[in-house]
Amino acid sequence: MDLEFGNCWGNSRKDSWKTILLLAYQSLGVVYGDLSISPLYVYTSTFAEDIEHSETNEEIFGTLSFVFWTLTLVPLFKYVFVVLRADDNGEGGTFALYSLICRHAKVSLLPNRQHSDEALSTYKMEEPPAKMNSMVKLLLEKYKALHTALLIVVLLGTCMVIGDGLLTPAISVFSAVSGLEVSMSRKHHQYAVIPITCFILVCLFALQHYGTHRVGFLFAPIVLAWLLCISTLGLYNIFKWNPHIYKALSPYYMFKFLKKTRISGWMSLGGILLCITGSEAMFADLGHFSYMAIQIAFTFLVYPALILAYMGQAAYLSNHHHLQISFYASVPESVRWPVIILAILASVVGSQAIISGTFSIINQSQSLGCFPRVKVVHTSDKIHGQVYIPEINWILMILCIAVTIGFRDTKHMGNASGLAVMTVMLVTTCLTSLVIILCWHKPPIIALCFLLFFGSIELLYFSASLMKFCEGAWFPILLALFLMIIMFLWHYASIKKYEYDLHNKVSLDWLLALGPSLGIARVPGIGLVFTDLTTGIPANFSRFVTNLPAYHRILVFVCVKSVPVPHVPVAERYLVGRVGPPEHRSYRCIVRYGYRDVHQDIDSFESELVEKLSDFIQYDWYRARASNVSNNEDDGSCSNESSGHRLTVIGTMGLCEDSVQLASVSDVVEIDAPSGTRERRVRFAIDGDNEHDNDSESVTVHHQMQQELEDLYAGQESGIAFILGHSHVRAKPGSSVFKKLALNYGYNFLRRNCRGPDVALKVPPVSLLEVGMVYVL
C-alpha cells in the first residue's frame, strides 16, 4: 500500500503528464465501459412498475436528483478519493483489501505461511505510531470465528462479482438492442430483440479465447465516442426541451420525490442504483493503470458526460409524459440508427471488461485456495493479467443466455444486477473501514464515520433491491449461495488436508535411513515431489517409496505456494535449501507466487529450477569453504547447518562487468525459516577458469561442488519426473452428518469434476507419477 500515492493530484511515480493522459485514455475502454452504458437502462428500470411519470414532473426531477447525488457520493467521493488509496502495491479489488488486512493482522486462514514471506520486498507494511495498539486488531486476531467471518465476507463479494459478470452482459446488450423497438412494429420487435441479443452474446463469449489484446485498441475509441455521443445528446435535449433542468439537481427534489411516492419511491431506488454499476471496476482494474489516470478520466470526462446524459433524458421526459420511457425516445430520429449501433458496440465493450474481470477474480480465488482448480490460459505474453478460463467462459455464456431468455425485460435484469452490484460495494465499504484502522492506522472514529456514511447510503439501495426478491433479485442471491458453498467447501477441505499432511509428515531421519540395506534403489534423473508442506517429508513420498522401493538420485521437494501479495519479484521467488547432507542430493525448493502472478510454463520452470539449484549448490559450497577457513569446521557440519531450517533466496543471474575473469553473479539472501530474519546479502562470483586454492581442503570442497553439479546436470539429462499426490477424502468415523456430506460427497464431487493438480501445474503426462492418498479428516 502506498499512502503517498493517495495524494489526489500528486504523482509519486513521476510519470509525465503525457503518459498519465495516455493511460487515462486507455482506461476508458477497460474501466468505464460498464459505467458508461448505464444511461441505457436506468430510467427504464426506475419507471418500470413502482412509480409513474406524472404531469407535475416530481418523479422525474426526484429521480434525476437521486442519480446526480448517487454518482457524486459513491463513484466520485468514495471510490476516486478514498477507496483507490487502499491499493496493494498498485493493485485493487476485493482480494487486494483482504491481502492488506491479512498482512497487518494475523487473520489469514491460508495454509503453509512462513515468517520468511514477510521478507519479500512487496510485503511492505507501515509501522503503527508509537503507543498505538488498535483494539480492533486485537479483537480480530483473538477470535478465529472472526477470521472465518472475514473470509466469508470476501467470498460473498467475490461471488457477487461473478454474478455481475453474467448479468451485466445480458442487461447491457439487451438494453442496447431494445432500441429497435422505436424503429420496428411491436410484432416484429417482440421476436427480434431476444434472438439478436442471444446471437451477440454467443459471439462475445465465443471470441474470448482470442483475448482482448487483439481488439483492445478499439475499446477506448468506442467508449470515448459513446461518452461524447450521450453528452452531446444530453446538451441538445437540455437546450431544446428544458434549459432549467439543472434546478432538479437540488437535494430538495429527493425529499419531495420520497414524500409523494413513499414506499413506491423507496422501491424504485432499485432502478436508480444502476447508475453506479461498474464503479467497482475503477478499483478492481487499478493494477492496469495508475491512480492519477483513473481519477482524471472519471473526474473530467466520464462523470460530466454521464451527468449531462441523465439531465438530457430528464429534460426530454419533463415535456413528454405519455411516451414509453426509453433512452432511445430522447434520441432524434435522424441519428437514431448510428446511436443504436454505437450503443451495441459500447455494450459489448462494457460486457467484455466485466467478463475479463470475472476471469481475473476466479484466478485469484484459485490462487488463494478458495476455488476448485480450473484451466487458466494467458492470452497475452505482453499484457499482464489477461487470462481466459474455458470452463467458466462457457458456463457464463449458458447462464447469460438463460437470464436473457428467462427474464426477457430490463426490469427483472436490473433488479438482479442491482442487488449484485450493491452487495459488492457494501463488502468494499466494510473492508476499506478495516484498512483505515489496521493499515492506515487512523483512529477508529474515522473508519466508523466512513462506514456509517457510505454504508447507510448503500444499505438504503440494498434494502430497495432486496424488496424485489421475487422480481429478479432472487437470482444473484441463489447464485451467490451456490458459489459460496462451493468455494467455502473447497477452502475448508484444502485446510483440513494441509493439517493432515502436517501431522503425518515423515522425519528427516527416515529419509536418510533409506538405502540399499533396505532394498531401496536410486535411479537416474530428477524427482520433483510436489507438496504443500514447507518443512518435513510429505506422507505421499513415504507411500511412494513403500510401494515402489526406488527414487531418483536427485530429489527435490517442491512447494508451489501463494502469498498474500499481488506480485512476487522474480528475484525473490525461489527459496532453496538442503534436505539432509550434500551427499544425499536432496533439496527443498519453495516457489512463491502472488495472487495476480502468472505461473510459469513447465518447460521454463524445469530449466529455471535446475538453474536455481545450481546457483544454490555453488553458493552453499563456497559458503562452506569460507566457514572452513574462518572456523576450521568440516564441510559436513556446515552443510548440515544449511540443511536444517536455513533457506536461501536465489536471485536473478547477470553478467559481471567488473572483471573478465568472473563468469556470473547472483544475489543471494539467507533466511532463517523459523524467525524469518535476513542474515545477510552476499554476491558470489564463480571464476570461469575455476582458480584453485593452494589449500588442500579448499580443493576438496571445490571437487565436491563440481561433483554435485555434475550429478545435477546428469539428472537433468536423464529426465525429470513429477510426483504428485492423487487424493481421496473421507470424513473420519463419528463425524457429524454435515461434515460427512461436505467431504464424502461435496468435496469429492468437486475434485472429480475439476482439473487435476497436473493440469494446474501444466505437467506433461509422460513425466507424471501420481501417488494415491486417502485423507481421513
Side-chain angles (χ1 to χ4, degrees):
M1 185 179 55
D2 190 352
L3 294 178
E4 292 179 359
F5 199 52
N7 190 343
C8 295
W9 305 111
N11 186 12
S12 61
R13 296 181 180 178
K14 298 182 180 179
D15 293 333
S16 65
W17 279 103
K18 182 179 179 181
T19 304
I20 293 174
L21 292 177
L22 178 62
L23 286 174
Y25 168 73
Q26 293 174 343
S27 70
L28 294 176
V30 177
V31 178
Y32 298 109
D34 187 12
L35 185 61
S36 65
I37 57 177
S38 56
L40 288 173
Y41 45 77
V42 168
Y43 284 118
T44 305
S45 299
T46 303
F47 289 89
E49 185 177 74
D50 298 306
I51 56 176
E52 294 182 357
H53 182 30
S54 64
E55 298 285 344
T56 62
N57 287 326
E58 290 182 348
E59 294 84 2
I60 194 66
F61 290 165
T63 301
L64 175 60
S65 184
F66 265 107
V67 168
F68 172 75
W69 287 106
T70 304
L71 275 172
T72 302
L73 293 176
V74 178
L76 187 62
F77 287 173
K78 175 189 167 184
Y79 279 94
V80 171
F81 294 113
V82 180
V83 175
L84 289 184
R85 302 185 183 191
D87 66 292
D88 182 12
N89 292 284
E91 298 289 342
T94 305
F95 278 104
L97 294 172
Y98 183 61
S99 173
L100 277 174
I101 295 170
C102 288
R103 294 211 301 272
H104 288 79
K106 298 177 182 178
V107 296
S108 175
L109 294 176
L110 293 178
N112 61 31
R113 293 187 64 192
Q114 294 174 281
H115 290 291
S116 56
D117 296 338
E118 299 179 10
L120 289 168
S121 59
T122 51
Y123 203 104
K124 55 185 178 179
M125 300 185 341
E126 184 183 351
E127 293 298 326
K131 298 182 180 180
M132 183 174 180
N133 195 4
S134 173
M135 292 297 296
V136 176
K137 179 180 178 180
L138 295 176
L139 189 66
L140 280 175
E141 293 179 344
K142 183 178 180 181
Y143 299 101
K144 193 171 182 179
L146 294 179
H147 304 178
T148 306
L150 181 62
L151 179 64
I152 291 175
V153 169
V154 173
L155 294 184
L156 175 62
T158 303
C159 294
M160 286 300 182
V161 170
I162 298 173
D164 194 28
L166 70 92
L167 289 168
T168 294
I171 188 173
S172 300
V173 177
F174 181 86
S175 299
V177 175
S178 63
L180 298 174
E181 67 184 0
V182 296
S183 302
M184 301 173 62
S185 64
R186 182 173 180 83
K187 179 181 178 181
H188 293 88
H189 164 259
Q190 184 178 0
Y191 298 102
V193 173
I194 298 295
I196 293 175
T197 301
C198 292
F199 174 76
I200 294 175
L201 290 174
V202 170
C203 293
L204 177 64
F205 283 99
L207 296 175
Q208 288 299 313
H209 68 281
Y210 290 108
T212 59
H213 63 284
R214 299 182 187 274
V215 293
F217 66 95
L218 293 175
F219 286 0
I222 290 174
V223 176
L224 178 61
W226 171 250
L227 289 172
L228 294 176
C229 172
I230 60 175
S231 57
T232 303
L233 289 173
L235 287 171
Y236 169 80
N237 286 319
I238 290 171
F239 287 110
K240 182 174 182 179
W241 300 109
N242 191 347
H244 301 288
I245 192 66
Y246 65 88
K247 295 181 180 179
L249 302 181
S250 170
Y252 166 75
Y253 286 93
M254 290 193 295
F255 297 105
K256 195 174 181 181
F257 169 81
L258 291 175
K259 183 178 180 180
K260 178 181 180 180
T261 57
R262 298 184 182 275
I263 191 171
S264 298
W266 169 59
M267 294 181 67
S268 70
L269 296 179
I272 295 175
L273 68 86
L274 295 177
C275 69
I276 54 176
T277 56
S279 300
E280 186 71 22
M282 287 191 287
F283 185 48
D285 293 322
L286 182 60
H288 299 290
F289 306 96
S290 67
Y291 170 77
M292 178 72 79
I294 291 179
Q295 188 182 54
I296 289 176
F298 181 80
T299 307
F300 295 105
L301 179 59
V302 179
Y303 176 74
L306 290 175
I307 297 300
L308 288 175
Y310 287 116
M311 289 177 66
Q313 289 186 66
Y316 177 85
L317 293 173
S318 65
N319 283 273
H320 299 80
H321 303 93
H322 303 292
L323 293 177
Q324 181 180 0
I325 294 180
S326 168
F327 168 80
Y328 294 102
S330 62
V331 178
E333 189 173 354
S334 58
V335 296
R336 188 168 293 161
W337 277 105
V339 171
I340 291 176
I341 295 173
L342 188 57
I344 293 174
L345 292 176
S347 66
V348 169
V349 172
S351 302
Q352 173 62 52
I354 194 67
I355 292 170
S356 299
T358 303
F359 292 154
S360 178
I361 201 166
I362 289 177
N363 186 35
Q364 295 173 38
S365 304
Q366 179 183 239
S367 299
L368 295 176
C370 297
F371 200 87
R373 288 182 294 267
V374 290
K375 183 179 180 181
V376 179
V377 179
H378 298 277
T379 58
S380 175
D381 296 329
K382 298 180 180 179
I383 304 176
H384 176 78
Q386 287 195 359
V387 296
Y388 164 70
I389 304 177
E391 303 98 313
I392 301 300
N393 181 68
W394 301 122
I395 292 174
L396 283 178
M397 185 192 74
I398 294 172
L399 291 176
C400 197
I401 293 176
V403 166
T404 304
I405 297 176
F407 286 153
R408 303 181 70 89
D409 62 16
T410 307
K411 181 185 75 171
H412 289 84
M413 295 183 194
N415 293 337
S417 179
L419 184 66
V421 168
M422 202 48 59
T423 305
V424 176
M425 290 186 174
L426 275 170
V427 169
T428 300
T429 300
C430 295
L431 295 179
T432 305
S433 301
L434 290 177
V435 169
I436 292 173
I437 299 174
L438 301 176
C439 307
W440 294 353
H441 309 295
K442 301 297 182 183
I445 188 64
I446 296 179
L448 183 62
C449 291
F450 174 85
L451 179 63
L452 291 178
F453 182 75
F454 291 106
S456 59
I457 296 173
E458 291 160 358
L459 276 175
L460 176 65
Y461 285 115
F462 180 80
S463 62
S465 295
L466 204 57
M467 293 299 295
K468 303 293 184 67
F469 181 84
C470 297
E471 301 173 14
W474 59 268
F475 181 79
I477 295 176
L478 184 64
L479 180 66
L481 181 63
F482 178 73
L483 288 174
M484 281 192 67
I485 292 174
I486 291 177
M487 296 172 75
F488 194 77
L489 185 61
W490 186 268
H491 181 76
Y492 171 78
S494 300
I495 295 294
K496 291 299 181 183
K497 283 175 59 181
Y498 175 77
E499 292 174 352
Y500 180 91
D501 284 335
L502 195 62
H503 291 128
N504 291 275
K505 64 183 180 181
V506 184
S507 67
L508 178 61
D509 294 335
W510 175 87
L511 177 66
L512 299 179
L514 296 176
S517 60
L518 298 177
I520 305 296
R522 301 290 291 267
V523 297
I526 299 177
L528 303 182
V529 182
F530 283 83
T531 174
D532 290 331
L533 298 178
T534 56
T535 59
I537 311 302
N540 63 347
F541 178 72
S542 65
R543 185 174 179 84
F544 171 75
V545 174
T546 302
N547 289 275
L548 183 64
Y551 61 95
H552 298 81
R553 289 177 182 169
I554 306 296
L555 189 63
V556 186
F557 295 97
V558 181
C559 174
V560 179
K561 58 176 290 188
S562 294
V563 291
V565 295
H567 305 288
V568 174
V570 178
E572 303 175 37
R573 178 156 294 158
Y574 287 84
L575 272 172
V576 185
R578 290 191 187 277
V579 179
E583 56 269 16
H584 200 269
R585 302 295 192 260
S586 297
Y587 312 91
R588 183 179 308 282
C589 181
I590 299 174
V591 189
R592 301 178 292 185
Y593 288 97
Y595 56 82
R596 281 187 180 268
D597 276 332
V598 177
H599 287 228
Q600 295 166 283
D601 290 330
I602 201 64
D603 293 334
S604 61
F605 174 73
E606 288 180 12
S607 58
E608 190 166 327
L609 180 61
V610 172
E611 179 185 343
K612 300 303 179 185
L613 288 173
S614 174
D615 291 345
F616 169 76
I617 291 168
Q618 296 172 65
Y619 162 72
D620 192 58
W621 280 107
Y622 273 87
R623 188 180 62 84
R625 185 176 67 178
S627 299
N628 288 339
V629 173
S630 60
N631 300 324
N632 293 321
E633 295 179 351
D634 63 285
D635 60 309
S637 64
C638 284
S639 296
N640 281 336
E641 179 190 356
S642 174
S643 66
H645 295 288
R646 194 175 305 280
L647 296 172
T648 306
V649 179
I650 303 295
T652 54
M653 299 292 291
L655 296 178
C656 178
E657 300 176 357
D658 296 337
S659 172
V660 293
Q661 294 181 343
L662 300 180
S664 59
V665 175
S666 181
D667 286 336
V668 178
V669 180
E670 282 190 4
I671 294 180
D672 189 10
S675 63
T677 57
R678 296 184 179 219
E679 285 200 352
R680 61 181 178 272
R681 179 178 291 275
V682 300
R683 293 173 69 85
F684 71 89
I686 299 120
D687 190 347
D689 297 328
N690 295 323
E691 182 181 353
H692 293 274
D693 292 335
N694 294 326
D695 186 88
S696 60
E697 195 172 6
S698 297
V699 173
T700 302
V701 169
H702 179 79
H703 175 73
Q704 291 174 335
M705 180 190 73
Q706 291 295 333
Q707 184 61 46
E708 188 171 2
L709 288 173
E710 289 175 6
D711 290 345
L712 176 66
Y713 293 128
Q716 185 182 18
E717 290 294 326
S718 299
I720 299 178
F722 297 81
I723 303 172
L724 280 74
H726 186 83
S727 61
H728 180 79
V729 175
R730 70 168 182 259
K732 61 185 177 182
S735 299
S736 64
V737 176
F738 173 77
K739 187 175 181 180
K740 289 180 179 178
L741 288 174
L743 295 179
N744 296 352
Y745 299 99
Y747 177 77
N748 284 322
F749 175 80
L750 293 175
R751 181 188 56 80
R752 288 193 299 266
N753 290 278
C754 72
R755 302 279 183 168
D758 55 319
V759 176
L761 295 169
K762 304 176 183 176
V763 176
V766 69
S767 303
L768 176 64
L769 286 172
E770 287 191 300
V771 182
M773 284 287 295
V774 177
Y775 290 82
V776 181
L777 307 177

